[in-house]
Amino acid sequence: MFKKISDPADCEVRSVIRFLNAKKVKAAEIPRQLVEIYGENVMTDGMIRKRVRQFNDGRTNVHDEARRGRPSVVNDGLVTKVNEKIRENRRFTIRMLFDEFQQISKTVLHEIVTNRLNYRKLCSRWVPKMLIDVHETK
């Protein structure tokens, strides 16, 4: 019995499919071998056949191609403007920021404040997560 591998990366599974296809393993045999190592939920038979067809057609890349998506509204200029607003009034709420920046959703504003600027709520004031000596003296 082989050791099971749980939660493989997609590119890892595609690499194995490419390898088995290069060894001329039949497309019907590849899913059985993948299930043997990776478990039942590794990839559907239809997706495996699709990948085999792509590799037979000349595809060599096992990684996903870049896809178009919704463009991000977050840029460095916007982050700077949000930071300036926060420094004007530390007792702000996300709702107050939303009133200033109505083109951005509250969720994105919260993400900018917490993830990009690394602020967190402390006694109803937003402060940087990592306080340096200058912050502590203030």
Side-chain angles (χ1 to χ4, degrees), residues 23-77:
K23 285 183 71 175
K24 304 291 185 202
V25 175
K26 293 182 181 178
E29 176 66 20
I30 292 175
R32 196 179 60 70
Q33 290 187 20
L34 288 175
V35 166
E36 197 174 306
I37 298 296
Y38 295 110
E40 290 293 323
N41 298 326
V42 63
M43 193 181 279
T44 64
D45 292 350
M47 283 302 297
I48 293 172
R49 283 192 301 273
K50 176 183 172 186
R51 296 293 179 189
V52 168
R53 253 181 285 141
Q54 288 174 345
F55 291 131
N56 286 337
D57 290 340
R59 180 182 173 142
T60 58
N61 189 4
V62 294
H63 299 286
D64 288 330
E65 288 99 20
R67 292 183 274 178
R68 291 180 47 159
R70 175 181 250 175
S72 177
V73 296
V74 180
N75 56 34
D76 293 335

Side-chain angles (χ1 to χ4, degrees), residues 113-134:
V113 170
T114 56
N115 296 342
R116 296 285 293 268
L117 295 174
N118 290 325
Y119 284 109
R120 64 184 171 88
K121 208 60 153 156
L122 181 67
C123 298
S124 76
R125 291 183 77 189
W126 289 87
V127 296
K129 281 185 182 176
M130 296 297 294
L131 292 176
I132 57 175
D133 295 334
V134 175

Side-chain angles (χ1 to χ4, degrees), residues 65-105:
E65 288 99 20
R67 292 183 274 178
R68 291 180 47 159
R70 175 181 250 175
S72 177
V73 296
V74 180
N75 56 34
D76 293 335
L78 180 64
V79 172
T80 304
K81 288 178 185 176
V82 170
N83 195 25
E84 288 170 1
K85 276 293 177 198
I86 292 171
R87 294 203 180 261
E88 286 176 15
N89 177 14
R90 288 291 178 99
R91 294 185 187 274
F92 74 93
T93 62
I94 298 297
R95 176 72 184 166
M96 290 167 57
L97 277 179
F98 179 68
D99 291 340
E100 295 289 328
F101 301 98
Q102 292 183 355
Q103 73 273 18
I104 306 166
S105 70

